[in-house]
Amino acid sequence: MSTKEIQIAQLSRKHKDSTLHNLHGFIDIYALYGSYKRLNRQSASGVDGETWQSYGKGGIGKMTELLNKFKKGTYRAPNVRRVYIGKDSGGTRPLGIPTIEDKILQTAVLGVLEPVYEQEFKEFSYGFRPGRSQHQAIDYLFEEVSFGKIRYVIDADIRNFFGELNHGLLRSFLDLRVKDGLVRKMIDKWLKAGIMESGQVTYPVEGTPQGGSISPLLSNIYLHYVLDTWYSEVIQPLLKGRSMIVRYADDFVLGFSDLEDAKRVFKVLPKRFEKYGLRIHPEKTKLIDLAGTGKGEERSFDFLGFTHYLGKSRKGYKVLKRKTSRKKFTGALRRMATWIKRNRNMRAVDLIAKVNIKLRGYYNYYGITFNFNGIRRYYLEVFKLLFKWLNRRGGRSKNWDHFNNLLMEWQPLLRPKIYHSYSLAKP
């Protein structure tokens, strides 16, 4: 943490039961410049077409002007350019792309709000928080289920969370900790910013656009009060058996050792979310018995790209195992096949080098304890894809022995490897 972040965190702890009014004082020219340096230099431009490089040519002068507009309250949040990106399920989801200047200011405001809410957020919340990752959330889930005798799981799905987040309720949640006028005015401007799509501009009355750096924090604040605090401080003390919760952004799992506890929470959960303008998806939200024996009964659930299920460790203990989910495996393989097909005319050595970079990224996420077979299967499918498309680009066809020598000896295809091996996962 920087000195400034430490000061804000100390201020937040000192005034834990009251609101903070002077956070904007921590936003200065150095904060804006630091925000600019942290942005992705290759990120897409917003509605003004400005890139990271072109904005930087304006130097400190542009940032000084931006700071003055923020301090005077005259800064106007520009429209957000909306694009759609593919989902592994085959559909698409909207993504908002702010301008570079807006990203700088959002990142600076995030820098003063994050230390405040890091004192508030629960330990089981992992999404979009500094120093926390998806693998840590998966590890936490493993420990709670494997060692906490959790048998029943509610695999929940919030329908269109980012599109239905209630602005008025979000403001009431922010009122509990932050009443800095300039910071709150900026958040309101970002919530009301126009969405430009196909040349048309619409103005949202609810939701927060995915893509801005401030949006993940706002969503975490919302679910902190709607779910995290309610469940851990109100519901869990009323339950008979052991229970747990783990959340990553809007994706969360609840676990129970007692079936009646699970049924009670499963029944009340939709009512809790409806109270705050959100909906639990009735078909995608399920109560699962991990140790079930009934025919056709679900005994696994998906969380953060993995299918989780009960299995036995090498010592014979029941533990929560995981493998790449079918949807994520199929989606990743489809994208790899498309890329190889489009780039099959590259020199073989260059093509394989690029594929190895993609494989390394895949292994780095999915290469965790219990999932070696999953990443090995992906490796073998990519091996077959290369054989297929390299033999369809003209010239003399390669037989299997020649191709095997190419990928095993002359230009080796990156072999699968476990990158995240948890000692706790070996009871």
Side-chain angles (χ1 to χ4, degrees):
M1 293 178 71
S2 67
T3 303
K4 190 175 295 184
E5 290 171 331
I6 292 172
Q7 290 175 340
I8 296 172
Q10 290 173 340
L11 186 68
S12 179
R13 286 192 293 269
K14 182 179 179 181
H15 301 282
K16 189 168 180 61
D17 298 321
S18 59
T19 56
L20 303 174
H21 294 264
N22 194 31
L23 292 173
H24 70 271
F26 290 97
I27 298 177
D28 53 23
I29 195 66
Y30 301 105
L32 294 181
Y33 184 70
S35 297
Y36 169 73
K37 296 294 285 185
R38 286 195 295 274
L39 294 183
N40 180 0
R41 302 185 182 194
Q42 305 303 320
S43 60
S45 56
V47 294
D48 60 359
E50 186 142 53
T51 64
W52 186 91
Q53 289 81 5
S54 63
Y55 188 88
K57 292 177 182 177
I60 295 298
K62 269 194 171 182
M63 292 184 199
T64 302
E65 183 181 350
L66 172 61
L67 180 63
N68 290 336
K69 287 189 288 186
F70 166 68
K71 296 287 187 180
K72 292 176 181 177
T74 59
Y75 179 82
R76 296 183 61 184
N79 296 330
V80 176
R81 183 166 68 89
R82 173 171 282 175
V83 297
Y84 290 87
I85 59 176
K87 296 169 64 176
D88 289 322
S89 59
T92 60
R93 67 178 178 89
L95 181 69
I97 303 179
T99 64
I100 293 295
E101 185 166 77
D102 209 42
K103 289 178 184 178
I104 293 170
L105 189 53
Q106 284 195 33
T107 304
V109 171
L110 175 68
V112 299
L113 289 178
E114 206 166 54
V116 174
Y117 284 99
E118 278 301 302
Q119 314 306 312
E120 304 291 321
F121 291 154
K122 303 294 184 179
E123 281 300 307
F124 53 76
S125 168
Y126 288 89
F128 303 107
R129 293 179 58 188
R132 289 176 169 244
S133 69
Q134 290 158 305
H135 289 113
Q136 289 176 329
I138 293 167
D139 191 27
Y140 178 85
L141 176 64
F142 168 83
E143 294 178 51
E144 290 293 311
V145 174
S146 301
F147 307 141
K149 298 183 179 179
I150 298 297
R151 173 172 173 173
Y152 306 98
V153 166
I154 295 177
D155 178 19
D157 184 271
I158 307 174
R159 177 179 282 174
N160 192 23
F161 169 68
F162 290 98
E164 297 186 358
L165 184 148
N166 185 287
H167 291 178
L169 290 171
L170 175 60
R171 292 186 189 100
S172 69
F173 294 146
L174 288 166
D175 282 343
L176 298 174
R177 291 300 283 128
V178 177
K179 285 190 175 179
D180 182 301
L182 287 177
V183 170
R184 292 295 301 276
K185 184 182 289 186
M186 271 316 313
I187 292 174
D188 278 345
K189 289 178 179 180
W190 286 321
L191 291 174
K192 297 175 183 177
I195 306 295
M196 179 171 284
E197 182 179 355
S198 301
Q200 300 294 318
V201 179
T202 57
Y203 294 91
V205 295
E206 59 185 14
T208 176
Q210 299 181 65
S213 57
I214 199 70
S215 296
L217 177 66
L218 297 180
S219 65
N220 267 340
I221 293 170
Y222 202 88
L223 287 178
H224 170 74
Y225 292 105
V226 172
L227 175 64
D228 300 356
T229 301
W230 167 75
Y231 184 75
S232 62
E233 297 180 11
V234 177
I235 298 300
Q236 280 189 304
L238 301 177
L239 302 179
K240 294 186 295 182
R242 283 184 54 85
S243 62
M244 56 77 62
I245 174 175
V246 59
R247 180 173 69 82
Y248 192 95
D250 62 328
D251 198 0
F252 68 95
V253 171
L254 307 174
F256 310 85
S257 63
D258 183 84
L259 178 58
E260 290 305 312
D261 286 343
K263 287 180 176 179
R264 288 167 60 197
V265 174
F266 189 77
K267 184 177 180 180
V268 76
L269 197 62
K271 299 176 183 178
R272 173 66 182 182
F273 277 80
E274 286 171 11
K275 181 179 177 181
Y276 292 94
L278 299 173
R279 295 174 294 165
I280 294 292
H281 201 299
E283 283 107 31
K284 294 183 179 179
T285 300
K286 301 172 183 177
L287 175 55
I288 296 162
D289 181 355
L290 293 174
T293 56
K295 186 177 180 180
E297 187 178 0
E298 288 195 57
R299 295 187 291 274
S300 64
F301 63 95
D302 288 356
F303 181 64
L304 298 182
F306 294 90
T307 296
H308 302 263
Y309 60 97
L310 277 186
K312 285 189 177 181
S313 71
R314 288 176 295 183
K315 295 183 180 179
Y317 298 112
K318 283 187 177 181
V319 296
L320 187 70
K321 292 190 172 184
R322 54 268 175 142
K323 59 184 178 181
T324 311
S325 73
R326 181 181 300 175
K327 182 171 71 173
K328 295 297 183 181
F329 182 89
T330 303
L333 199 59
R334 186 191 305 118
R335 290 190 296 274
M336 180 67 88
T338 300
W339 188 90
I340 292 175
K341 179 182 178 181
R342 289 175 179 171
N343 294 277
R344 64 186 183 275
N345 290 320
M346 293 174 62
R347 287 198 318 148
V349 63
D350 296 329
L351 179 67
I352 295 168
K354 294 282 188 182
V355 169
N356 279 341
I357 293 173
K358 294 179 180 295
L359 283 174
R360 183 174 288 107
Y362 187 88
Y363 300 155
N364 192 52
Y365 186 78
Y366 290 103
I368 67 174
T369 304
F370 303 129
N371 194 39
F372 183 77
N373 286 339
I375 58 175
R376 183 175 180 273
R377 182 183 164 211
Y378 186 74
Y379 164 84
L380 293 174
E381 292 297 327
V382 172
F383 197 98
K384 294 175 187 176
L385 284 171
L386 282 168
F387 181 74
K388 171 184 175 180
W389 289 111
L390 287 177
N391 269 322
R392 291 192 181 186
R393 62 179 191 170
R396 190 173 65 179
S397 296
K398 297 176 176 61
N399 61 39
W400 187 256
D401 289 337
H402 178 270
F403 185 75
N404 197 53
N405 286 334
L406 170 66
L407 293 190
M408 300 295 288
E409 297 179 18
W410 305 329
Q411 182 65 25
L413 193 63
L414 190 65
R415 304 299 295 270
K417 174 184 175 182
I418 295 296
Y419 281 82
H420 303 277
S421 178
Y422 305 113
S423 59
L424 288 174
K426 302 172 183 177

